[in-house]
Amino acid sequence: MKPFAYHQPGRIPDAAKLLTSIEDSKLVAGGMTLIPTLKQRLASPPALIDLSRLENLKGITDDGATVTIGAMTPHAVVAASKLVQAKIPGLAALASMIGDPAVRIRGTIGGSVANNDPAADYPAGVLGLGATVVTSTREIAADGFFRGLFETALEPGEIITAIRFPVPFKAGYAKFKAPASRYALVGVFVAKFADGVRVAVTGAGSGVFRVPPMEEALSQNFDPSAIAAIRIDTDGLTSDIHAEADYRAHLVTVMAKRAVDAALS
Amino acid sequence: MGNVIGIGASPKRKEDQRFLTGRGNYVSDIKRPGMTAGVFVRSPHGHAILRGIDKGAALASPGVIAVLTGEDVAADKLGSLPCGWGISDAKGVPMKEPPFPMLAQGKVRFVGDMVAFVVAETPEQANAAAELMTVNYEVLPSVVGVLEAVRPGAPQLFDDVPNNICCDWELGDKAAVETAFRKAVHVAKLSLVNNRLIGNPMEPRAAIAEYEPGTDRFTLWTTSQFPHVVRFLMGALVLNIPQHKLRVVAPDVGGGFGVKQFHYGEEAVITWAAKRVMRPIKWVASRSEGYVSDRHGRDHVTEAELALDETGKFLAFRVNTLANMGGYLSTFGPNIPTNLYGPLLGGVYTTPAIYCNVKVVFTNTVPVDAYRGAGRPEATFVLERIVDVAAAEMGIDRVEIRRRNMIPKEAYPYQTPVLVQYDSGDPMGCLDGALVAADVKNFGIRKADSARRGKFRGLGYSTYVEACGLAPSRFAGRLGARGGLYESATVRVHPTGQVTVMIGTHNHGQGHETTFAQIVSEKLGVSFENVDIVFGDTDRVQFGMGTYGSRSLVVGGAALSKATDKVVAKGKKIAAHLLEAAEVDIQFEAGKFSVAGTDRMKTFEEIAGAAYVPHDYPLEVLEPGLEEQAYYDPVNFTYPGGCHIAEVEVDPETGTVTLVDYTAVDDVGTVINPMIVEGQLHGGIVQGVGQALYENAVYDEGSGQLLSGSLMDYCMPRADHMPMMKIATHSTLCTHTPMGVKGCGEVGTIGSPAAVINAVVDALSHLGVTHVDMPATPNRIWRLLQNASLPVAAE
């Protein structure tokens, strides 16, 4: 690890100011991706801006129609939240499947969403539920937030403060874990709302994406059988030493069916 | 007399007290006054010509003390890293043995090959300087697979090694095998890959070297399984340091599995550099560095054929293997796929004719050497797989075909056609025991239950034997070993009767401090707590070949047993004098020397006291003191074996294989500590399951990049991959080791891959699947099912 300056601001505007004034500085939330990167000397930001002292970034609230999770809320808290379990059990289940216990205790929802790892779990939940990413400056709809491999709509100096999830009728997540990393080789989140069904896939490509044919089919009939015959195209899907694109495409269908099963159970 | 805990007891492990309370003493825990930090600059290319190295920027970097390269090694006329075994081809032509410089000279031959060593005041400064090194590489195409490496036109690693073939080795009677094949009613054929593995001990490799000008002595602390061998190989053959001027210490070591039983270039470089900078130097590998520098294991491509008569009796077995050596010959490299592979192809069967050809091949990969099992898992996998293939093709039950060919218990000692002679064994007994323990008779019920849940269930057998306790020097010498394979132990009885044992094996997780203390406690009748085992320090331990090949108890324990016998013999002489009796009338039992037929006796402590306070002592015939040493070189290998049965469930939708049950009934000879044996079996089996289902070192052909270069991409088996295992022993006693022990460190790893893959194939056999290569990953299984003869319903 190379030397860096360390800042621990108490207010969001202070954090945003540091972020814009120190070129190449990085925000650190749980640090579950950033710290290993620093240890391997693959990144050497001049300064880290630790978000852990910022007020009002932790915790979960609801207003009946939505559940809002503070950006610095760890995965383990979301997984164990009675509120999330009651309102969006599929999201609590997703949080319980991230990484391992150490990662779930340190890692945060804001960090995961901002990082937008192509195999992370939360992007599937955020996109699948059509959530709103609340930042220090504005609100961004999930459909416009994720821009592919580690890219998001966040502007320089913009900090995620919370994610606001609409409460669905039903939702479920099914994840096929990569054997070694236990990231999603393929993860599928499905959510049923009054105006239709959303299906979001992580792990299969360079970033989280929706599957309109499955959404249409499930909107007609929210049952695994409705999508059993739908195969997604392998174009744009990842091939690596763990899985070729056609296997990932197959797993999308299998995991989508299992996500529907989970939502129905 | 006190708390004797002897052979057959399962005390908690003595060493765990310090390990579990964070008081272990590992190399990276050690700090020396004035210690500096060393970092290796490694090749990022699989194959390249070194056109020049510019040290300038690194040398000018803050805190840098020295930067050393291959040119400095050459200028100091240092030796090449030696290979401890020399093999020859059928005509007796020795293997090609190109030099293995400790820092690359002229060329780099694998990603991770060392090109420079940077010494600085701190690790951070050394790392920063290493990044400033400018190495001018002329990149060449790499070749990483054995099939590709022997093709005409393949990139050549060494100018004088045509087609990258180090040695074209063979074993067995080729003509007899050909004759038998002509008579065969059925010939089973199988092509398979034995996947390349990375050992991943929990503690990465590390070393500290220090030179004391006052005494002209070097000390090397290193994560080694065999410090005396490192002292010899490095001191005598690489650095020209006299043995009495070199101390090698291997303190607590966090797992080895073979990875730490080689002499590594890092050890030589750091020791050499310590004198040049006149400061102690510490190097600790990162996990990532370990992936591209720890010696890898396995990596075979094999074609096998089994000839059978109409009843399913094996007539002959023919095996052709290409074995990957990586970029250079490691310490035991060429021995593993030859001498530790071919002689095991007889298995537990009466196959009368066997021929094995192994082409040992250089590639642009990390050197390949012994990894837990070392050659024997590969042999077992070939044999146990083809037995299943033959059974399926001939319509004979898999258990029945094994029974028809098994060596009966009464046929031991049994001479195989491939050099080795098994002294003892009862494979049928192990099989029978395992069939009951695994509840094979109700497998059909379980399979039907799986089918109702949309899953395919399979059962797999592996009835295997291995050769361990390496050892016998005379035999090994004939096979090309350039060293001996005995072991030594010194039993030092203190004046108060406590005992310190100095032994040449090395404990890095095997529980020796407990097992060996039990042997001493039993044999001398002293308290278990009053025995300490010292190992891993060439200044404290007389000599030793270290720990590998399941040899510690078999060879080291035997030396210890002999040394305790000598202590008792001397004690009897002292007792005879003190008790005024004839020596032949002195009996020793339960820690007491007594005159037969009387109540006159002396305790072990009294005899020890007399030995060191010889006021009344037979000085004219006996020296004072009570310390004895023994060296032991056995007459044969030992041959543990057994029957493993794996039960798996396959999810046809995703291709996921789940190991749902595992049974092992093994013949490991006398068991000293059943708990430790069970633990060794657990660990060994999990490592074998790792090979069968999860682990795979993957290189990119052409660039030579290791694609599975971290724990994110190289899948180690984990606790949640494993069911509760059923472990039992069905032991026959080794006829030639002092306590009848056979060794148990590797049996789990040797027996299990074939059992697991045979179970996977069984689960899929109704779809026409006849073989699955390792690891049986979901992706691989799914693809097999796509190509299988029956469509798979999607739930």
Side-chain angles (χ1 to χ4, degrees):
Chain A
M1 197 181 286
K2 299 175 188 179
F4 53 82
Y6 179 71
H7 301 279
Q8 205 172 32
R11 296 171 52 248
I12 289 169
D14 296 343
K17 194 176 166 197
L18 284 165
L19 188 58
T20 46
S21 62
I22 308 170
E23 198 179 351
D24 296 328
S25 61
K26 288 274 186 194
L27 299 175
V28 57
M32 293 295 91
T33 301
L34 181 61
I35 302 297
T37 310
L38 299 180
K39 284 168 73 175
Q40 291 181 74
R41 304 173 71 86
L42 295 173
S44 51
L48 290 192
I49 301 151
D50 182 346
L51 302 178
S52 64
R53 288 250 177 103
L54 298 184
E55 292 164 1
N56 303 323
L57 289 197
K58 279 183 189 161
I60 303 166
T61 57
D62 86 308
D63 67 0
T66 65
V67 171
T68 301
I69 301 177
M72 287 295 287
T73 309
H75 314 322
V77 171
V78 176
S81 161
K82 295 278 180 267
L83 176 60
V84 180
Q85 287 173 359
K87 294 278 192 171
I88 320 177
L91 189 63
L94 175 149
S96 76
M97 293 181 216
I98 299 172
D100 55 27
V103 167
R104 290 195 290 274
I105 285 166
R106 285 290 308 170
T108 67
I109 188 170
S112 172
V113 170
N115 190 47
N116 191 22
D117 187 296
D121 298 288
Y122 263 131
V126 171
L127 186 64
L129 284 162
T132 301
V133 179
V134 183
T135 76
S136 50
T137 55
R138 59 185 169 142
E139 297 193 347
I140 311 167
D143 282 311
F145 182 82
F146 299 105
R147 301 269 176 89
L149 199 68
F150 297 109
E151 294 290 328
T152 68
L154 290 171
E155 298 286 344
E158 192 172 11
I159 298 169
I160 298 176
T161 57
I163 314 288
R164 192 168 68 238
F165 293 94
V167 175
F169 291 157
K170 293 178 188 307
Y173 183 59
K175 173 182 183 180
F176 191 86
K177 292 177 182 178
S181 69
R182 302 208 170 175
Y183 271 89
L185 196 68
V186 168
V188 180
F189 199 96
V190 298
K192 184 177 194 302
F193 293 94
D195 58 351
V197 172
R198 292 171 68 98
V199 177
V201 176
T202 188
S206 61
V208 62
F209 61 88
R210 291 172 65 183
V211 188
M214 288 189 179
E215 294 182 347
E216 285 156 29
L218 289 170
S219 295
Q220 299 298 315
N221 175 19
F222 195 72
D223 187 89
S225 61
I227 51 173
I230 298 177
R231 293 281 176 271
I232 70 160
D233 199 90
T234 54
D235 282 356
L237 298 193
T238 305
S239 272
D240 58 25
I241 60 171
H242 306 294
E244 285 110 25
D246 58 344
Y247 177 55
R248 278 191 164 88
H250 166 78
L251 282 180
V252 168
T253 304
V254 176
M255 291 299 119
K257 286 192 303 172
R258 291 184 184 184
V260 173
D261 263 336
L264 290 169
S265 69
Chain B
M1 268 310 288
N3 178 30
V4 170
I5 299 178
I7 292 170
S10 289
K12 293 269 195 309
R13 302 199 320 168
K14 285 186 164 204
E15 49 268 64
D16 285 342
Q17 179 69 31
R18 71 174 185 279
F19 294 150
L20 297 177
T21 56
R23 293 182 172 88
N25 182 38
Y26 297 89
V27 171
S28 65
D29 293 325
I30 296 169
K31 294 182 178 68
R32 301 297 301 170
M35 192 165 76
T36 64
V39 165
F40 289 94
V41 177
R42 296 178 184 276
S43 171
H45 305 293
H47 197 191
I49 296 168
L50 280 174
R51 288 293 181 209
I53 301 176
D54 182 358
K55 302 178 180 181
L59 278 170
S61 187
V64 171
I65 298 164
V67 177
L68 300 170
T69 69
E71 286 185 14
D72 301 305
V73 173
D76 277 9
K77 299 190 166 49
L78 303 177
S80 164
L81 297 174
C83 182
W85 283 72
I87 56 168
S88 303
D89 70 11
K91 298 189 189 89
V93 178
M95 67 184 186
K96 300 282 195 306
E97 195 173 354
F100 186 176
M102 55 202 231
L103 292 173
Q105 294 176 7
K107 229 182 175 192
V108 290
R109 293 183 176 84
F110 64 93
V111 171
D113 205 354
M114 299 187 292
V115 296
F117 185 55
V118 177
V119 185
E121 294 290 342
T122 69
E124 289 73 24
Q125 289 171 335
N127 270 308
E131 287 172 1
L132 298 174
M133 290 286 290
T134 310
V135 184
N136 184 3
Y137 295 102
E138 182 184 330
V139 179
L140 303 172
S142 292
V143 63
V144 302
V146 285
L147 289 169
E148 292 76 11
V150 298
R151 271 184 203 141
Q156 300 290 297
L157 271 76
F158 300 96
D159 292 343
D160 52 354
V161 184
N163 302 315
N164 298 311
I165 295 174
C166 165
C167 190
D168 190 346
W169 181 91
E170 64 173 43
L171 175 69
D173 189 334
K174 193 175 186 178
V177 167
E178 278 167 9
T179 305
F181 267 86
R182 280 196 293 276
K183 292 181 191 153
V185 170
H186 185 80
V187 173
K189 296 184 180 184
L190 179 65
S191 302
L192 59 83
V193 173
N194 199 288
N195 43 325
R196 186 184 185 99
L197 303 179
I198 299 174
N200 275 300
M202 195 177 287
E203 179 205 24
R205 286 188 300 119
I208 300 172
E210 181 170 329
Y211 175 70
E212 292 174 78
T215 55
D216 189 30
R217 288 194 99 218
F218 292 82
T219 303
L220 170 68
W221 290 265
T222 180
T223 51
S224 180
Q225 299 174 218
F226 61 175
H228 288 87
V229 181
V230 171
R231 182 178 66 170
F232 175 75
L233 295 176
M234 183 178 83
L237 304 178
V238 182
L239 299 182
N240 303 315
I241 300 171
Q243 296 290 285
H244 66 301
K245 294 294 186 188
L246 175 57
R247 176 187 182 194
V248 178
V249 184
D252 283 331
V253 170
F257 313 114
V259 165
K260 296 171 182 168
Q261 71 170 72
F262 317 121
H263 171 41
Y264 280 93
E266 289 91 343
E267 295 168 326
V269 170
I270 196 170
T271 305
W272 165 63
K275 184 175 179 183
R276 289 182 67 116
V277 304
M278 292 300 244
R279 301 263 300 270
I281 308 171
K282 176 190 268 188
W283 160 74
V284 180
S286 67
R287 178 69 54 185
S288 312
E289 191 175 9
Y291 268 87
V292 295
S293 63
D294 291 357
R295 304 304 178 234
H296 293 181
R298 319 281 193 258
D299 202 344
H300 289 194
V301 174
T302 293
E303 303 273 345
E305 297 166 281
L306 183 65
L308 302 97
D309 72 9
E310 67 284 356
T311 67
K313 281 284 277 185
F314 307 157
L315 301 176
F317 189 32
R318 182 159 54 204
V319 176
N320 291 294
T321 293
L322 292 169
N324 202 329
M325 279 291 99
Y328 302 91
L329 295 183
S330 175
T331 311
F332 297 122
N335 180 48
I336 308 305
T338 54
N339 292 318
L340 293 183
Y341 175 71
L344 271 297
L345 291 169
V348 295
Y349 310 115
T350 56
T351 317
I354 298 171
Y355 172 76
C356 173
N357 171 252
V358 181
K359 289 184 177 67
V360 178
V361 179
F362 288 113
T363 65
N364 294 112
T365 63
V366 168
V368 179
D369 207 319
Y371 169 64
R372 199 174 191 174
R376 293 151 289 158
E378 296 92 313
T380 299
F381 189 71
V382 176
L383 180 57
E384 289 301 300
R385 277 296 302 126
I386 203 165
V387 166
D388 265 28
V389 169
E393 288 174 354
M394 294 187 73
I396 303 172
D397 176 78
R398 293 175 294 159
V399 173
E400 178 57 27
I401 201 169
R402 285 175 167 82
R403 286 191 194 283
R404 286 181 196 173
N405 288 283
M406 257 179 197
I407 303 164
K409 188 179 179 184
E410 48 286 0
Y412 289 84
Y414 186 84
Q415 177 63 51
T416 73
V418 275
L419 299 178
V420 292
Q421 186 189 75
Y422 307 142
D423 65 291
S424 59
D426 180 17
M428 204 82 82
C430 291
L431 172 62
D432 288 335
L435 289 171
V436 173
D439 189 25
V440 168
K441 70 177 193 302
N442 288 314
F443 173 72
I445 296 169
R446 300 193 291 276
K447 188 175 175 72
D449 175 63
S450 295
R452 273 192 294 277
R453 291 181 284 108
K455 305 284 171 61
F456 303 147
R457 203 176 186 100
L459 197 65
Y461 304 89
S462 170
T463 49
Y464 74 97
V465 64
E466 64 130 327
C468 74
L470 310 176
S473 293
R474 201 173 298 166
F475 187 72
R478 281 205 297 275
L479 296 177
R482 292 166 175 171
L485 288 167
Y486 43 83
E487 201 42 76
S488 86
T490 297
V491 175
R492 177 175 298 162
V493 182
H494 300 285
T496 45
Q498 290 94 14
V499 177
T500 302
V501 171
M502 274 66 66
I503 195 156
T505 55
H506 190 278
N507 182 25
H508 39 276
Q510 295 86 346
H512 296 170
E513 290 166 60
T514 305
T515 303
F516 290 156
Q518 286 179 251
I519 292 171
V520 173
S521 184
E522 165 110 11
K523 297 208 59 155
L524 298 183
V526 298
S527 286
F528 176 68
E529 296 78 26
N530 286 345
V531 184
D532 263 6
I533 310 297
V534 172
F535 58 90
D537 184 341
T538 59
D539 270 11
R540 295 183 73 193
V541 176
Q542 59 289 341
F543 204 71
M545 301 310 293
T547 285
Y548 51 87
S550 307
R551 69 190 305 278
S552 297
L553 179 60
V554 173
V555 193
L560 175 58
S561 174
K562 283 183 67 179
T564 58
D565 290 343
K566 290 184 181 180
V567 167
V568 170
K570 184 169 183 181
K572 282 183 176 176
K573 288 189 167 71
I574 300 168
H577 171 82
L578 295 177
L579 296 168
E580 296 176 336
E583 191 187 327
V584 292
D585 292 331
I586 301 294
Q587 297 175 327
F588 180 70
E589 204 183 331
K592 292 188 183 67
F593 293 90
S594 60
V595 181
T598 75
D599 60 358
R600 286 185 294 142
M601 57 78 78
K602 291 282 181 188
T603 65
F604 184 78
E605 289 77 10
E606 287 172 317
I607 293 299
Y612 289 95
V613 189
H615 295 163
D616 176 15
Y617 193 86
L619 285 167
E620 55 287 354
V621 294
L622 217 51
E623 292 171 6
L626 194 54
E627 172 169 326
E628 295 291 343
Q629 187 173 92
Y631 277 66
Y632 176 74
D633 197 334
V635 298
N636 193 355
F637 293 108
T638 59
Y639 300 96
C643 177
H644 288 204
I645 301 179
E647 197 163 321
V648 302
E649 198 173 71
V650 178
D651 175 355
E653 262 203 327
T654 62
T656 304
V657 176
T658 305
L659 184 64
V660 293
D661 200 6
Y662 201 92
T663 303
V665 176
D666 292 296
D667 178 353
V668 296
T670 303
V671 173
I672 308 293
N673 182 317
M675 177 193 72
I676 287 177
V677 169
E678 191 169 351
Q680 286 287 321
L681 261 296
H682 284 168
I685 289 166
V686 172
Q687 265 174 311
V689 170
Q691 168 160 33
L693 297 180
Y694 308 111
E695 299 183 46
N696 202 17
V698 182
Y699 274 97
D700 179 49
E701 196 69 54
S703 74
Q705 295 297 324
L706 179 64
L707 301 177
S708 55
S710 80
L711 287 166
M712 294 291 276
D713 288 308
Y714 185 89
C715 186
M716 296 292 287
R718 302 181 198 186
D720 68 353
H721 287 136
M722 293 302 298
M724 295 303 288
M725 291 173 265
K726 298 167 187 156
I727 306 290
T729 52
H730 174 82
S731 284
T732 58
L733 299 189
C734 176
T735 59
H736 58 82
T737 54
M739 294 172 287
V741 298
K742 294 188 178 181
C744 69
E746 296 161 294
V747 290
T749 319
I750 292 165
S752 54
V756 173
I757 294 298
N758 282 343
V760 174
V761 174
D762 180 50
L764 306 178
S765 59
H766 64 292
L767 303 172
V769 172
T770 56
H771 179 65
V772 177
D773 265 327
M774 300 188 290
T777 59
N779 186 45
R780 179 169 276 162
I781 297 292
W782 176 78
R783 197 158 302 283
L784 266 176
L785 295 179
Q786 296 307 295
N787 302 329
S789 53
L790 292 173
V792 178
E795 208 160 273

